[in-house]
Amino acid sequence: MYLISKIEDTVRIPPNRFEDPLEDVAVEILNESYVGTIDKKLGLMVTVKEIEELGIGKVIMGDGAAYHDVVFNALFFKPELHEIVEGEVIEITEFGAFIRIGPMDGLVHVSQVTDDYINYDGKRGALMGKESKKTLEEGNNVRARIVALSLKGKSSKETKIGLTMRQPGLGRFEWIEQEKEKKPKKEKSATKGKK
C-alpha cells in the first residue's frame, strides 16, 4: 500500500549550492537523506513528493551552510500482512524466488510456489513443478499474498517479506489465466449432467 505523509525537518544547504534553485536543492538533499529509510508506522520512504513550506535559512557560525525548517510530503510504501501484491521475479535460488514488489523484495519459499513438488534447475535458473511442469524464472510477473512481514531495521535491506502463491488466483500470471480457462469447461460439463 502506498501512502503520503507530511514531515517536518531541517535541511542543511551547503554554500556551494546557494546559487541553485533552493526548493530543488532541498528536495535533492531530503531524498538523499530519507529515501530507502524505514519508519515502523509509515513504511519505506520512496520519495519526497513536494515541499509545502521552506523557512528562511539560518547560518551557524563555523559552518557556512544555511539551515532551513521545511515541511514536505513524502511517498511511503507500507506492505500489509495478507495484502495481495504483484511483482517481478528478480532471482531464483534453490530455496525459492525473490520477487520485486514496488521498492522492496519478498521471498516465495519453494514450499509456497505451487501445490506441486518443486525442483530447482540450476542451469536454467528456474523452479519447476514435478507433475504440473509449471516453471518460474527470472523476469516472470506474478501475483502473491504477503504471509510474513518484518519491518525491523532502518532500510529495506533489513526487512523480510514472506510470500505465498499457493492460493487460488495467485502465481505466475500465465498460470492464473490457465486456471480461468479451465473453470468454464468444468462448469459446462457439470451443468450438462443436470438436464
Side-chain angles (χ1 to χ4, degrees), residues 12 15 59-65 67:
R12 179 186 183 273
V59 178
I60 296 175
M61 270 185 53
D63 186 351
Y67 290 81

Side-chain angles (χ1 to χ4, degrees), residues 167-179:
Q167 299 166 348
L170 302 180
R172 189 172 155 187
F173 288 161
E174 291 82 357
W175 304 344
I176 297 168
E177 285 304 312
Q178 289 170 359
E179 287 301 314

Side-chain angles (χ1 to χ4, degrees), residues 60-74:
I60 296 175
M61 270 185 53
D63 186 351
Y67 290 81
H68 297 263
D69 290 333
V70 64
V71 177
F72 62 95
N73 290 319

